[in-house]
Amino acid sequence: MNDALPSFVPALPEMFLAASAMVLLVLGAFQRGPHVAREIGWLGVVALAVTAALVMSFGYERKVSLYGMMVTDGFGMFMSVLTLIGAGFAIVMAMRFNEREGVARFEYPVLVLLSTTGMLMMITANDLISLYVGLELQNLALYVIASFQRDQTRSSEAGLKYFVLGALSSGMLLYGASMVYGFAGSTNFDTLAHTLEASNASIGLIIGIVFVAVGLAFKVSAVPFHMWTPDVYEGAPTPATAFFSIAPKTAALALFVRVMIYAFGELVDQWQQIIMAISVASMILGALAAINQRNIKRLMAYSSIGHVGYALIGLAAGTPAGVRGILVYMAIYVFMNIGTFGVILCMRREGRLVEGIEDLAGLARTQPMLAAALAIFMFSMAGIPPLAGFFAKFYIFMAAIDARLFWLAVLGVVTSVVGAYYYVRIVKIMYFDEPKGAFDPGIGREMQAVVLISAMVILFFIVFPSPIVGAAELASATLFPG
Amino acid sequence: MTVAAIFLPLLGAFIAGFFGRWIGDRGAQIVACTGVALAAAFGVTLFVDVALDGHNVTTQLFTWLDAGDLQVQWALRFDTLSATMVAMVTVISTMVHVYSVGYMAHDSSVPRFMAYLSFFTFFMLMLVTADNFLQMFFGWEGVGLCSYLLIGFWYDRPTANAAAIKAFVVNRVGDFGFALGIFAVYALFGSLQFGAVFDAAPNFAHTPFIFLGWQVDALTVTCILLFVGAMGKSAQLGLHTWLPDAMEGPTPVSALIHAATMVTAGVFMVARLSPLFEYAPTALAVVCVIGGSTALFAASIGMAQNDIKRVIAYSTCSQLGYMFFAAGVSAYSAAIFHLMTHAFFKALLFLGAGSVIHAMSGEQDMRKMGGIWRLVPVTYVLMWIGSLALAGIPPFAGYFSKDMILEAAWASGSRVGLYAFWLGIIAAFLTAFYSWRLLFLTFHGKPRADAEVMHHVHESPKVMILPLVVLAAGAIFAGWLGYHDFVGEGRESFWRESILVLPDHASIEAAHHAPAWVGELPFAMGVLGIAVAWIAYIWRPGIPGVVARSLRPLYLFLLNKWYFDELYDALFVRPVMALGVAFWKRGDGAVIDGLGPDGVASVTSRLSVRASRLQTGYLYHYAFVMLIGVVLLVSWYLLRQIGS
């Protein structure tokens, strides 16, 4: 059988998505009409939905294919679906924004699809090589998306910064991968998982792991490899920022978890310290630096840094409960961010974009529904029960305590108190400050739907937690064989 | 019926208080008055049934606390003592309620006032019908609360608020003693039920007890602590300062709470706890000395006051002193007798003063009154009746009760009894003097008010006069009617076991055999006081000015109320304020806020500024930071590897 062509069935979702992207590209190039971008966008959403269906059809069972380069399991499925959801919403949210900004080009959804293909490959990678290929595919598309509004210097600058720093981090990752190969003799996760033992970990291997971790930490924007985040988030067009904060982050975190927990699972005592260090640094910086921000996109950048810090606590725990915590956290995080960016995308006054936090003043009086939705998201991000954000943090801290990482949990609680300040401040500005004039009405039906859906998810998670928590439970189990 | 008598005022307060907005002023007045009037009807019926016919009842309501050894029931205990109090409280309260309908007619928050009055009545009834110490404390604190609310009823007046807070704080001192006393009772007896405690009291006489490291007699300490509570509530020497200031409240409040009922709670408490006090002779001596001293002290201040209500307030304080020294010589029945008669004539005097104030357009300073007796004849007559009763002129009520107290004090034969007797005699003279000073200044002489006010002087409406007439009837007849049962031949069968007097403390019995001059002396002093007042204020109106000038230090001493307020201000208020300010500014503000909320917040925001300054925007800075991160992590592992 070795000589025969391997089965490509497990790669079907990635192949389908890549093919769809190319078809849509061709379609868009030959199509004429005022609504091309919108049509291509909706087709892209359909493609993502089909891909999600394909991913889900594989079930939770763990299967290695393509000569060990790829793996499908419950964990991958969970994260893939989450990424696909994020990408889908990102396309929908971008439509009206791009039309108003005069950048309604059909390339945008195509780029999102291509990048998402890379993410799926990352998530299902079972080898450092396939990991790198997926990562680069994703990155290249993201660089373009960041500078999509190319007539604006801010956007171009964001793309360039992201590109340079991304190249640096990719270099580190690759360097680390080569060290690992040199000291462990393999790049395959299964082989690594089976041959590595805590007792004979050489310093070279550990340094290799450090470099791999640094590369991945850059992708999830963990401190101190976060420096690109605020600038890129602020500079990139808002729909791109929304996309950045949702899909690549989910995929990169999935990759991080798989590499650390599965491939280097035996060396947990070694890498745990890296994760704890960057987790603590991210939580503290995310909480502190956000306080001083005036721009809401920059604020969201620091907020996402903080959230990654919390999620990494689950990774530091290194237990199934910790991984489950990450999965739940990311699922809730995705919906909170979709909703928040949905509201941010509606911040438009007299035809111009506004991004200042102060511009939200008195929103409760001018647009009560929008304000209520944003208040829900902010309270949820601050981790106030009974909203979903509370449970996200709850599962993470529980896992940390079970893993006897008490001080990490305490620090997490303390920083989330500090963080609550700037989330709740937004609510205060919306509800108690004098209105600065209403935002332009007519946010569009699809945007209303986006905000409504995510608000519902956040609001009613407490009533129906089982779809997310139960799936996360099953998914996390597949990472721990035996 | 017992339940109805107690809880109807509560119901009235509830409806008037919470639904006053819907039922309106008139509705609130009707509801509250009906509530207490029905309670009064039940109260009088119960008095006849319990006290006169001898059917004691205790109504168990439900268990309040059941924690370990401590079990406390809600129960209504009706014996002669509490039935007397219930009847007296409900009747006076009804009169005051009705009077308030007229007096407070123009106030903007009538329902609130009526609700407070009824609420107070409920707590007072709770206090007097308590079957255990804790329930008594409940009522005790409840009346304190209502007193606070009613003194500060006109909360837009700073003086009223200050007076309310003063009353509350001074009462806290007393209540602290009371609470300690209750703890001591529980520590000694292991129960808070009156029945159990009273039964066990004889066994604990002369039991030693460690208090603050001193070995002392257990019952003495307990009783003195309880008496401290009584001193606070009944405004006895040392803890009296709140009572005159409490006159900031509306006049019906002064009549009901600060004359007839609440302030007498201390006397009631000592009588109720007579089975304890009887076994603590030292404590009784303390009660006696404090009571006698207060009687004279307050009367002396009353002579020099100019505010009509303050004169009566000091008079109340002084009369409470009489009651206490009566209790101190084991003449509890005389104390309760005087309490009852005093309730009538003092409520009458207060409400009469209210009527005068009403007529004088709110003026309370007697120096600005005078010559109005023709204009308010009914009030004038009623005030005369009240004053005659207060001064102890036969056959008015005060004569019977005050005489009995003084005779009992003399007859007790003890040194403290004689001390109290002589102070009481002097106080009787002063009482008559300041009462007629009040009458002469207010009603006689030339009008000193301006023409505008004099023009408006008018008799009060019927709704205010009628209660006064009822109270006046009490002031005339209560002494004569009650003498036989309360302190006369019928006292044994009247009081039965509700008051305990040991055989060798039988001062009432001895009083009946006192020489005639002892009984006539108070009367003579009263007449003398009236005569002196007449000379000084009618016959030779120049005398008071001459006396005040020639004895200026003494006059100022009395005018300024023996400088008690100033003393307390210097001793307690200012040091405590200084301490509080120090704690606030330095302790809380600088240390706790500085290190805590403010400090953390400012550190956070400073760190935040620094954290965002890291974000320079330069690509090479970012790359540099990443490299530093890598270097740090790698060197951490290298160092660890070398170390291990």
Side-chain angles (χ1 to χ4, degrees):
Chain A
M1 280 294 281
N2 279 352
D3 300 332
L5 217 56
S7 167
F8 282 99
V9 173
L12 209 52
E14 284 87 348
M15 291 194 294
F16 173 77
L17 201 55
S20 315
M22 285 177 260
V23 169
L24 290 181
L25 184 63
V26 174
L27 212 59
F30 287 98
Q31 197 81 10
R32 289 274 173 270
H35 298 298
V36 185
R38 188 169 275 262
E39 284 153 13
I40 299 288
W42 282 117
L43 284 173
V45 173
V46 171
L48 288 168
V50 173
T51 313
L54 285 172
V55 168
M56 288 205 276
S57 68
F58 295 139
Y60 287 95
E61 205 187 336
R62 181 182 158 81
K63 246 187 238 143
V64 179
S65 53
L66 295 180
Y67 303 116
M69 295 297 261
M70 181 176 175
V71 61
T72 53
D73 58 1
F75 176 77
M77 183 181 86
F78 189 95
M79 284 307 218
S80 300
V81 170
L82 217 52
T83 309
L84 290 166
I85 290 174
F89 275 108
I91 292 176
V92 174
M93 287 197 287
M95 287 175 183
R96 183 167 288 249
F97 179 90
N98 286 353
E99 281 164 14
R100 285 186 168 174
E101 289 293 302
V103 287
R105 299 204 188 82
F106 67 90
E107 288 92 343
Y108 185 84
V110 174
L111 282 167
V112 170
L113 290 192
L114 284 173
S115 163
T116 310
T117 313
M119 292 172 204
L120 294 190
M121 287 174 69
M122 283 159 67
I123 293 169
T124 54
N126 196 35
D127 192 294
L128 287 172
I129 300 298
S130 54
L131 176 159
Y132 184 72
V133 172
L135 194 68
E136 282 307 298
L137 175 55
Q138 177 222 222
N139 276 350
L140 283 171
L142 289 181
Y143 301 145
V144 183
I145 291 177
S147 49
F148 192 71
Q149 218 166 359
R150 59 178 185 242
D151 50 347
Q152 289 205 354
T153 41
R154 282 205 314 172
S155 179
S156 314
E157 183 191 329
L160 189 65
K161 274 183 181 164
Y162 192 27
F163 173 68
V164 174
L165 294 175
L168 182 64
S169 80
S170 293
M172 287 185 189
L173 182 81
L174 213 49
Y175 183 61
S178 66
M179 296 269 284
V180 169
Y181 180 69
F183 283 88
S186 172
T187 54
N188 185 276
F189 290 173
D190 293 320
T191 320
L192 287 172
H194 291 132
T195 53
L196 290 180
E197 279 171 37
S199 51
N200 64 5
S202 65
I203 185 75
L205 177 65
I206 290 172
I207 289 177
I209 294 175
V210 170
F211 273 94
V212 172
V214 165
L216 294 172
F218 175 85
K219 293 295 162 207
V220 297
S221 65
V223 178
F225 312 105
H226 68 286
M227 300 296 277
W228 60 278
T229 323
D231 289 10
V232 172
Y233 272 39
E234 190 186 354
T238 314
T241 310
F243 181 57
F244 281 164
S245 76
I246 301 164
K249 197 149 272 186
T250 314
L253 202 65
L255 190 59
F256 212 159
V257 171
R258 191 188 290 285
V259 171
M260 289 299 164
I261 298 274
Y262 184 72
F264 302 125
E266 288 296 318
L267 304 176
V268 61
D269 291 335
Q270 309 287 333
W271 54 255
Q272 198 177 35
Q273 295 153 29
I274 313 177
I275 305 298
M276 288 196 311
I278 62 176
S279 161
V280 167
S282 304
M283 288 190 294
I284 293 177
L285 189 99
L288 288 182
I291 290 176
N292 216 24
Q293 301 307 322
R294 300 277 168 274
N295 182 297
I296 192 152
K297 281 160 76 183
R298 248 186 131 72
L299 182 116
M300 288 305 289
Y302 284 108
S303 154
S304 82
I305 291 171
H307 283 301
V308 163
Y310 296 118
L312 287 177
I313 293 180
L315 180 55
T319 56
V323 174
R324 185 190 62 173
I326 296 180
L327 295 178
V328 174
Y329 200 99
M330 288 318 288
I332 291 167
Y333 169 82
V334 162
F335 281 102
M336 290 193 300
N337 261 33
I338 290 173
T340 310
F341 274 103
V343 177
I344 294 174
L345 283 165
C346 299
M347 289 172 63
R348 175 178 282 280
R349 189 171 287 138
E350 287 153 13
R352 287 191 319 110
L353 273 177
V354 287
E355 296 178 348
I357 293 172
E358 300 299 327
D359 289 313
L360 288 167
L363 188 63
R365 261 173 282 174
T366 54
Q367 262 140 323
M369 291 309 287
L370 211 55
L374 189 54
I376 290 173
F377 300 133
M378 287 299 125
F379 279 126
S380 174
M381 290 221 187
I384 290 167
L387 299 171
F390 165 76
F391 294 96
K393 288 203 171 79
F394 173 76
Y395 284 115
I396 289 282
F397 293 153
M398 277 299 288
I401 285 167
D402 284 345
R404 312 193 63 74
L405 300 173
F406 299 115
W407 63 273
L408 208 54
V410 169
L411 211 72
V413 172
V414 169
T415 53
S416 66
V417 169
V418 177
Y421 165 76
Y422 58 79
Y423 294 127
V424 177
R425 181 166 151 252
I426 291 181
V427 177
K428 176 246 167 194
I429 288 172
M430 289 194 301
Y431 279 84
F432 300 109
D433 285 7
E434 278 306 305
K436 274 193 158 182
F439 290 144
D440 294 349
I443 59 172
R445 207 169 295 150
E446 76 274 358
M447 207 54 117
Q448 286 173 346
V450 167
V451 174
L452 187 72
I453 290 170
S454 33
M456 288 297 131
V457 171
I458 299 303
L459 211 50
F460 291 113
F461 175 80
I462 185 174
V463 191
F464 303 111
S466 49
I468 292 179
V469 178
E473 181 89 55
L474 288 171
S476 59
T478 60
L479 262 196
F480 295 84
Chain B
M1 187 156 75
T2 53
V3 176
I6 310 297
F7 285 94
L8 275 173
L10 179 65
L11 186 69
F14 182 80
I15 295 174
F18 288 107
F19 302 101
R21 197 173 294 175
W22 289 278
I23 59 179
D25 288 2
R26 179 60 56 182
Q29 286 163 344
I30 292 171
V31 166
C33 292
T34 315
V36 286
L38 284 175
F42 288 132
V44 172
T45 320
L46 278 168
F47 174 72
V48 173
D49 189 46
V50 173
L52 300 185
D53 296 350
H55 300 130
N56 286 8
V57 274
T58 300
T59 313
Q60 297 288 339
L61 297 179
F62 54 88
T63 304
W64 181 7
L65 288 176
D66 191 357
D69 295 341
L70 180 64
Q71 209 192 29
V72 182
Q73 308 280 336
W74 285 106
L76 305 176
R77 177 192 178 104
F78 275 90
D79 56 9
T80 306
L81 185 58
S82 53
T84 309
M85 292 298 286
V86 167
M88 188 275 283
V89 168
T90 49
V91 168
I92 304 271
S93 176
T94 308
M95 294 308 128
V96 172
H97 270 78
V98 173
Y99 179 89
S100 302
V101 171
Y103 190 83
M104 301 296 285
H106 305 301
D107 201 88
S108 55
S109 37
V110 171
R112 184 162 63 96
F113 184 77
M114 300 311 280
Y116 284 171
L117 274 190
S118 290
F119 199 43
F120 165 80
T121 310
F122 162 71
F123 275 121
M124 190 67 205
L125 294 173
M126 223 44 199
L127 193 167
V128 297
T129 57
D131 190 34
N132 56 63
F133 282 91
L134 209 57
Q135 194 182 338
M136 192 184 213
F137 192 67
F138 169 78
W140 193 268
E141 292 298 312
V143 292
L145 166 72
C146 291
S147 159
Y148 166 80
L149 291 173
L150 282 165
I151 295 170
F153 180 76
W154 286 313
Y155 52 78
D156 47 356
R157 294 184 189 171
T159 50
N161 284 328
I165 290 170
K166 188 172 178 184
F168 206 75
V169 171
V170 174
N171 267 298
R172 218 91 320 264
V173 178
D175 293 348
F176 187 60
F178 190 19
L180 284 179
I182 294 175
F183 301 155
V185 166
Y186 187 68
L188 272 182
F189 297 94
S191 171
L192 292 177
Q193 291 294 323
F194 285 151
V197 171
F198 295 165
D199 289 346
N203 309 329
F204 284 93
H206 312 299
T207 312
F209 183 63
I210 307 293
F211 180 73
L212 297 178
W214 300 56
Q215 187 161 350
V216 287
D217 184 64
L219 277 180
T220 305
V221 168
T222 309
C223 289
I224 289 178
L225 285 172
L226 291 168
F227 176 61
V228 169
M231 280 171 68
K233 195 84 14 195
S234 296
Q236 290 302 288
L237 188 59
L239 295 178
H240 67 281
T241 53
W242 65 273
L243 184 59
D245 287 14
M247 298 303 131
E248 287 291 342
T251 306
V253 173
S254 311
L256 178 63
I257 299 184
H258 306 119
T261 56
M262 185 188 85
V263 290
T264 61
V267 180
F268 166 78
M269 189 243 267
V270 173
R272 167 58 86 204
L273 301 181
S274 57
L276 281 187
F277 278 87
E278 278 299 288
Y279 292 101
T282 318
L284 278 180
V286 170
V287 174
C288 187
V289 169
I290 298 274
S293 309
T294 309
L296 178 68
F297 152 81
S300 72
I301 296 176
M303 289 197 305
Q305 296 303 306
N306 293 318
D307 184 311
I308 184 167
K309 281 178 73 183
R310 278 180 186 253
V311 173
I312 309 180
Y314 277 107
S315 157
T316 305
C317 201
S318 162
Q319 297 303 309
L320 288 166
Y322 277 98
M323 298 176 209
F324 272 112
F325 76 69
V329 296
S330 295
Y332 305 103
S333 46
I336 297 295
F337 187 34
H338 193 54
L339 190 163
M340 196 262 296
T341 55
H342 171 259
F344 281 105
F345 61 70
K346 193 49 69 65
L348 172 63
L349 281 172
F350 260 120
L351 295 183
S355 181
V356 170
I357 295 166
H358 196 72
M360 300 292 295
S361 315
E363 183 57 62
Q364 300 196 8
D365 193 333
M366 294 189 295
R367 286 170 300 185
K368 296 184 183 155
M369 297 179 180
I372 59 167
W373 69 275
R374 278 180 217 282
L375 300 169
V376 286
V378 182
T379 305
Y380 176 61
V381 171
L382 291 167
M383 287 295 275
W384 259 90
I385 295 174
S387 299
L388 284 169
L390 173 62
I393 306 299
F396 295 94
Y399 164 74
F400 294 95
S401 51
K402 195 192 271 184
D403 244 29
M404 180 46 73
I405 286 177
L406 288 166
E407 279 174 346
W410 189 87
S412 73
S414 62
R415 230 178 271 167
V416 289
L418 285 179
Y419 167 82
F421 171 73
W422 285 112
L423 292 191
I425 291 293
I426 303 171
F429 164 74
L430 296 178
T431 305
F433 175 78
Y434 66 63
S435 297
W436 265 265
R437 172 174 175 265
L438 186 153
L439 283 178
F440 293 145
L441 278 178
T442 307
F443 295 103
H444 295 268
K446 286 200 190 80
R448 290 179 295 274
D450 53 40
E452 180 70 11
V453 173
M454 288 307 289
H455 181 69
H456 286 295
V457 171
H458 59 284
E459 191 58 89
S460 298
K462 277 206 190 75
V463 74
M464 285 167 69
I465 293 297
L466 268 176
L468 290 183
V469 173
V470 174
L471 292 173
I476 298 171
F477 301 113
W480 177 64
L481 285 174
Y483 186 81
H484 174 78
D485 277 338
F486 277 84
V487 290
E489 299 305 318
R491 65 181 189 279
E492 295 287 334
S493 61
F494 178 73
W495 292 107
R496 297 189 301 282
E497 68 281 12
S498 65
I499 285 177
L500 176 82
V501 180
L502 294 183
D504 51 343
H505 289 181
S507 51
I508 300 265
E509 184 55 36
H512 285 296
H513 306 294
W517 66 268
V518 176
E520 283 154 11
L521 193 56
F523 169 59
M525 294 309 273
V527 173
L528 187 64
I530 296 169
V532 171
W534 183 78
I535 293 168
Y537 291 95
I538 300 288
W539 192 48
R540 289 277 186 272
I543 293 181
V546 174
V547 172
R549 263 193 301 283
S550 56
L551 297 174
R552 187 160 179 76
L554 180 67
Y555 173 70
L556 283 179
F557 185 63
L558 295 181
L559 184 67
N560 288 307
K561 305 161 271 187
W562 289 33
Y563 293 104
F564 256 98
D565 280 340
E566 286 75 8
L567 183 71
Y568 282 180
D569 197 43
L571 271 186
F572 303 116
V573 179
R574 261 182 256 160
V576 169
M577 283 291 274
L579 201 65
V581 168
F583 274 138
W584 163 43
K585 290 236 166 108
R586 300 210 193 105
D588 191 50
V591 180
I592 296 177
D593 273 0
L595 293 183
D598 288 358
V600 170
S602 75
V603 168
T604 308
S605 69
R606 246 180 295 150
L607 285 178
S608 161
V609 171
R610 280 208 203 150
S612 29
R613 229 181 260 157
L614 283 177
Q615 210 67 35
T616 52
Y618 293 117
L619 202 52
Y620 56 93
H621 284 174
Y622 295 180
F624 184 67
V625 170
M626 283 173 64
L627 288 178
I628 294 281
V630 175
V631 168
L632 279 180
L633 288 175
V634 169
S635 22
W636 164 253
Y637 279 100
L638 281 176
L639 288 175
R640 242 174 56 106
Q641 200 73 14
I642 292 163
S644 64

